[in-house]
Amino acid sequence: MTHRITRPTRPAQPAACPCGLPESYEACCGRFHSGSVAAPTAEALMRSRYCAFVKGDAGYLLRTWHPRTRPARLELDPGMRWTGLEILGASDGSAFHSTGTVEFRASYRGGSLHERSRFERVDGAWVYVDGEFPA
């Protein structure tokens, strides 16, 4: 007779959100994508927008783009594979500000994108205005 020793199983932990924070997608950026709550800071909006690129959610990206700079439509490359987000710095962009800047590096298979993004509040909600690509 053979005895097999098994380890007790633990409930599976939900994967961390693609934006890099340890919460699950549903508890982190998913709640912004669903529209149940708005991103409270410029950095939270930037993280949720990165996550929308990962998930292919063009509708969310357009909804969170400033009306004066928003394109008429947005086509995402279905072959693009985003692999990580690193926040390099942020200024302003809290509940006490009307503008904010977030500098980040978003990695994808084969390279990375370094951007300094500008955000503003429109009707109380944070929106992406534009970005520049530091040398």
Side-chain angles (χ1 to χ4, degrees):
M1 183 167 162
T2 304
H3 293 284
R4 179 178 270 163
I5 298 174
T6 59
R7 294 183 185 182
T9 58
R10 292 185 201 155
Q13 294 293 324
C17 188
C19 80
L21 294 178
E23 292 88 6
S24 69
Y25 166 74
E26 290 76 19
C28 193
C29 294
R31 62 198 174 116
F32 304 138
H33 293 176
S34 72
S36 63
V37 65
T41 65
E43 181 179 329
L45 179 66
M46 196 282 312
R47 285 181 178 278
S48 72
R49 286 177 56 83
Y50 167 82
C51 193
F53 276 103
V54 170
K55 299 279 189 180
D57 189 346
Y60 179 78
L61 293 166
L62 288 169
R63 285 192 308 277
T64 58
W65 210 311
H66 198 291
R68 77 171 182 265
T69 59
R70 178 176 46 226
R73 60 187 231 279
L74 182 64
E75 293 183 31
L76 301 178
D77 179 354
M80 179 65 99
R81 295 292 174 252
W82 296 97
T83 59
L85 176 66
E86 178 185 7
I87 303 298
L88 303 173
S91 61
D92 298 336
S94 77
F96 303 104
H97 300 106
S98 58
T99 63
T101 304
V102 179
E103 185 172 349
F104 66 92
R105 180 173 293 111
S107 300
Y108 55 88
R109 193 178 331 147
S112 67
L113 168 75
H114 180 189
E115 182 175 325
R116 187 175 301 119
S117 297
R118 292 184 324 121
F119 298 88
E120 291 180 11
R121 284 185 186 267
V122 172
D123 297 329
W126 286 106
V127 292
Y128 170 79
V129 177
D130 59 16
E132 60 186 46
F133 306 99

